[in-house]
Amino acid sequence: MNINNLKTPCYIFDEGKLIRNLEILSGVERATGAKILLAQKAFSMYAFYPLIGKYISGTTASSLNEARLGHEEMPNSETHIYAPAYSDSDFDEIVEICGHVVFNSFSQWERHKDKCAGIECGIRINPEYSEIETDMYNPCFPGSRMGAKISDFPEKLPEGISGLHFHTMCEQNSDVLWRTVLEVDKKFGRILSLPQIKWINFGGGHHITRGDYDIKTLIKSIEYMRGKYGLTVYLEPGEAVALDAGCLVTEVMDIIKNGIDIAIVDASAACHMPDVLEMPYRPPLFGSGEPNEKKHTYRLGGPTCLAGDVIGDYSFDRPLKPGDRLVFGDMAIYTTVKNNTFNGINLPTIYIKRQNGEIELYKQFGYEDFKRRI
Ligand SMILES: *Cc1c(COP(=O)(O)O)cnc(C)c1O
């Protein structure tokens, strides 16, 4: 592909890589009878929803808007939703489009249950077991608002609740899932064995499409819950669906010096890769090395006036100059969904790389997109 002709900054979503991921996920569905849902929170590129819908069972949403998107763009697939709380007005619409609704608490269930005829209702549980070390991403940290603990469960489970949902993982392998499933069984076995419980949702955070992911243990975990309690198992990965299925291309705009060589690029950490600052993490950059690993080291910074809009320090074989293009990897997930126009910076153009290698312009943004939000 000739990236020099593309308008920067831009994302390129890679259909071939997406299909590779989807084949792995649909293989898990076929091997186990489990149902896999796209967590749209990570990846809402609805241009691909018809394709995704051919491989997996549907979408899950964290809000009415996401639920609508899944319902409209992947019709004839399942639509699930979970949110910490639902407003009364949103809920009226949610029950029109979602087949499964997961509540964060019994009080939320009580508030909305009369509208739930014909809908599969579940409770998100807090199994008080998570191997995530960063509190920001750990729904089981002390004082967490996510889910009901076993001590919050009433003696008699209300009729109308037919499933449990947990989401306690982040970018993890299936050994963590296996230990979590055993822990959920130990604490919630009394609930899981009730005849009214028909399904369990293992949430997201499963890095199923990563090279070193152990699919056998995933299958063992699914079959454990299916075999012991006869449950339908759902998984709702976000990252795993579009892992490594996109990149962000940026152009060097200027080179300056302040103790270290600094390259100003037209992509912003704050606007276009917010997880770089929030997680924080260092995005992979093709053809680069760690600082001082290669001959020429630069600090890469964005075009906003936020002093901390720094992507990171990288080294290169050759000196950078204005007009050079740099390509960051793994930029499909948690990027477009989190983009903003802080400083009036444009949203990146979106291209799609088709399986045959051709690159199509999908969407461009401009002044009106900035103005309309305010
Ligand atoms: C974030 C989230 C997901 C998706 O998580 P990934 O880490 O992207 O796989 C799934 N379910 C719930 C409830 C979530 O909050």
Side-chain angles (χ1 to χ4, degrees):
M1 77 173 91
N2 188 357
I3 59 163
N4 289 315
N5 301 331
L6 306 180
K7 187 175 171 336
T8 60
C10 65
Y11 295 106
I12 307 173
F13 290 119
D14 189 325
E15 184 179 54
K17 287 192 173 168
L18 186 64
I19 289 174
R20 190 204 68 105
N21 290 346
L22 291 168
E23 279 171 350
I24 294 171
L25 296 173
S26 74
V28 172
E29 283 205 352
R30 282 197 306 274
T32 61
K35 295 189 176 185
I36 300 185
L37 310 168
L38 163 70
Q40 298 174 84
K41 179 183 87 189
F43 188 66
S44 301
M45 253 302 273
Y46 57 89
F48 288 123
Y49 282 15
L51 175 72
I52 295 171
K54 285 188 195 152
Y55 288 87
I56 60 176
S57 294
T59 57
T60 189
S62 339
S63 62
L64 172 59
N65 285 341
E66 281 186 0
R68 239 186 99 172
L69 190 68
H71 176 70
E72 286 177 6
E73 302 295 332
M74 210 186 292
N76 313 317
S77 292
E78 294 191 27
T79 306
H80 294 223
I81 189 167
Y82 158 78
Y86 302 107
S87 71
D88 294 344
S89 60
D90 278 5
F91 206 78
D92 292 336
E93 288 185 61
I94 284 168
V95 291
E96 296 296 318
I97 57 184
C98 294
H100 289 67
V101 175
V102 175
F103 295 93
N104 193 53
S105 65
F106 285 97
S107 42
Q108 270 281 299
W109 149 257
E110 286 295 334
R111 184 176 185 100
H112 298 297
K113 67 177 180 194
D114 294 340
K115 294 176 182 166
C116 290
I119 288 172
E120 294 285 331
C121 293
I123 294 282
R124 175 164 175 171
I125 59 170
N126 174 353
E128 300 171 76
Y129 180 85
S130 164
E131 300 185 22
I132 301 172
E133 281 162 13
T134 317
D135 277 358
M136 176 80 149
Y137 295 98
N138 180 3
C140 303
F141 74 85
S144 166
R145 71 189 188 292
M146 311 313 249
K149 298 198 272 192
I150 187 61
S151 57
D152 299 321
F153 270 66
E155 190 58 37
K156 184 173 175 341
L157 189 68
E159 259 176 61
I161 302 232
S162 58
L164 296 186
H165 173 289
F166 67 83
H167 172 67
T168 57
M169 291 172 51
C170 182
E171 300 188 338
Q172 283 161 320
N173 213 316
S174 48
D175 58 321
V176 178
L177 175 63
W178 174 245
R179 290 190 286 275
T180 305
V181 161
L182 294 180
E183 200 61 31
V184 167
D185 187 25
K186 199 166 88 190
K187 293 200 176 91
F188 291 88
R190 166 176 85 80
I191 310 293
L192 294 171
S193 57
L194 296 172
Q196 75 193 75
I197 297 294
K198 301 282 193 286
W199 52 273
I200 184 164
N201 187 322
F202 289 177
H206 317 280
H207 247 190
I208 303 169
T209 51
R210 197 174 74 196
D212 67 344
Y213 189 87
D214 169 14
I215 290 190
K216 272 205 184 120
T217 303
L218 168 64
I219 291 176
K220 180 172 84 168
S221 306
I222 295 168
E223 289 188 336
Y224 181 86
M225 281 295 175
R226 231 171 49 121
K228 187 159 180 186
Y229 299 110
L231 303 175
T232 299
V233 174
Y234 286 96
L235 295 151
E236 44 181 36
E239 292 208 8
V241 174
L243 198 66
D244 218 15
C247 60
L248 173 63
V249 183
T250 183
E251 183 168 299
V252 175
M253 302 167 79
D254 195 17
I255 306 286
I256 57 173
K257 248 183 196 312
N258 180 11
I260 178 170
D261 290 327
I262 300 166
I264 314 263
V265 299
D266 62 5
S268 159
C271 303
H272 308 145
M273 351 178 186
D275 276 348
V276 167
L277 303 181
E278 269 179 38
M279 284 278 277
Y281 88 108
R282 175 188 164 85
L285 173 56
F286 291 109
S288 76
E290 295 295 316
N292 302 316
E293 184 186 333
K294 294 178 182 254
K295 200 160 162 219
H296 305 277
T297 296
Y298 292 85
R299 176 157 299 166
L300 304 181
T304 69
C305 39
L306 175 72
D309 190 356
V310 170
I311 301 161
D313 295 354
Y314 295 84
S315 65
F316 302 87
D317 291 324
R318 269 172 296 188
L320 296 182
K321 57 180 191 318
D324 284 351
R325 299 261 161 129
L326 303 174
V327 182
F328 290 99
D330 198 18
M331 282 286 162
I333 47 176
Y334 292 104
T335 52
T336 38
V337 287
K338 288 187 132 189
N339 278 181
N340 62 75
T341 57
F342 175 57
N343 266 230
I345 301 295
N346 240 350
L347 298 168
T349 303
I350 299 177
Y351 294 91
I352 294 177
K353 183 181 173 198
R354 293 295 175 194
Q355 256 192 311
N356 63 11
E358 266 170 41
I359 297 181
E360 281 170 18
L361 175 64
Y362 169 67
K363 217 173 252 191
Q364 271 181 295
F365 304 91
Y367 172 66
E368 287 303 330
D369 299 292
F370 163 63
K371 191 176 177 193
R372 261 178 57 81
R373 303 177 60 239
I374 297 162

